[in-house]
Amino acid sequence: MGNIFGKKKRSRVTEQDRAVLQLKQQRDKLKQYQKKIALQMEKERQLAKQLLKDGKKEKALLLLKKKRFQEQLLDKTENQISNLEHMVQDIEFAQIEMKVIEGLKVGNDCLKKMHEVLSIEEVERIMDETHDAIEYQKQIDDILAGSLTQEDEDAVLAELEAITKGDDVELPEVPNEQLPEVPEEKSEREKETVKKKPERELLAV
């Protein structure tokens, strides 16, 4: 039966992360030790003052010698803390460098795959075909340009500009004057009547 909770995710904590954590823990312990020694030194200093007031000079001197020794310990502790912090910074910076190198490696692998798909010969072929297509279109443009006069060119450009602006091509104006009426054609009967009228007039004479 499979794990009903699914597979456990792998921890992303690396050895470098553990090392940095341990170094920081040691640094914090040293800082706590510094605080403890500093408080103790202040108490012994106040106690030495009191012993001097009480006339116990030898005990006061002994406390001051102890305080001096503790000051040397604080200096050594400070140096150790500084070394630990430098070590932490070096490890963290090394981790950043490793990530940068991994990113460069992934990028190089991606470029290699792209170069395998698109070879130099393929690029040259595409460029040649593109150049041929441009030259062919240029020849067509030259032929069309040579078959039109300058007046035609201007008319084409004007029409193109009108279409681009969304305007209709300008048409000649229609005259407002009323055209003369065309006389209607006479019917055949009227033509016969007009033709026979002179004949009757001649007979009457």
Side-chain angles (χ1 to χ4, degrees), residues 152-167:
D152 294 332
E153 291 285 350
D154 295 339
V156 171
L157 291 176
E159 184 177 359
L160 177 63
E161 184 178 358
I163 294 174
T164 303
K165 293 181 179 179
D167 300 332

Side-chain angles (χ1 to χ4, degrees), residues 27-203:
R27 178 200 61 190
D28 294 339
K29 288 180 180 179
L30 287 174
K31 287 184 176 181
Q32 291 177 357
Y33 177 73
Q34 273 186 325
K35 291 181 181 179
K36 181 180 178 181
I37 294 297
L39 291 174
Q40 188 175 351
M41 286 171 56
E42 183 62 25
K43 289 180 180 180
E44 290 178 351
R45 184 171 178 273
Q46 295 298 328
L47 182 58
K49 285 183 178 181
Q50 185 64 38
L51 289 173
L52 286 173
K53 289 180 181 180
D54 297 340
K56 299 177 181 179
K57 185 177 179 180
E58 292 183 359
K59 288 185 177 180
L61 184 60
L62 182 63
L63 283 175
L64 292 175
K65 288 181 179 180
K66 183 181 178 182
K67 177 178 174 294
R68 181 62 181 172
F69 176 74
Q70 290 174 338
E71 287 177 352
Q72 294 176 355
L73 287 178
L74 282 179
D75 292 338
K76 292 180 180 179
T77 305
E78 186 65 31
N79 291 332
Q80 291 176 353
I81 291 174
S82 179
N83 292 333
L84 289 173
E85 289 179 344
H86 282 302
M87 183 66 69
V88 169
Q89 291 175 358
D90 291 341
I91 294 175
E92 290 177 342
F93 185 73
Q95 288 178 311
I96 294 174
E97 287 182 330
M98 288 180 61
K99 291 180 180 180
V100 172
I101 293 173
E102 290 176 357
L104 292 174
K105 183 180 178 182
V106 172
N108 289 332
D109 293 339
C110 181
L111 286 175
K112 287 180 181 179
K113 292 180 181 178
M114 292 175 65
H115 292 160
E116 291 175 357
V117 173
L118 194 62
S119 62
I120 295 177
E121 292 78 7
E122 184 69 13
V123 174
E124 290 178 347
R125 184 185 65 79
I126 294 173
M127 294 301 294
D128 291 339
E129 291 179 354
T130 303
H131 179 73
D132 294 340
I134 293 173
E135 289 294 329
Y136 183 76
Q137 184 62 40
K138 185 179 179 182
Q139 292 177 3
I140 295 176
D141 294 339
D142 292 341
I143 293 173
L144 291 176
S147 62
L148 297 177
T149 63
Q150 185 61 41
E151 185 179 356
D152 294 332
E153 291 285 350
D154 295 339
V156 171
L157 291 176
E159 184 177 359
L160 177 63
E161 184 178 358
I163 294 174
T164 303
K165 293 181 179 179
D167 300 332
D168 295 333
V169 180
E170 186 176 357
L171 297 175
E173 297 181 358
V174 178
N176 295 326
E177 298 179 359
Q178 188 175 1
L179 297 176
E181 295 182 359
V182 179
E184 296 181 359
E185 188 177 357
K186 295 181 179 181
S187 62
E188 292 294 331
R189 181 176 297 179
E190 290 177 348
K191 290 180 180 180
E192 291 294 331
T193 304
V194 173
K195 184 178 180 181
K196 292 179 179 179
K197 187 176 181 181
E199 293 179 355
R200 292 177 181 176
E201 292 177 351
L202 292 173
L203 292 174

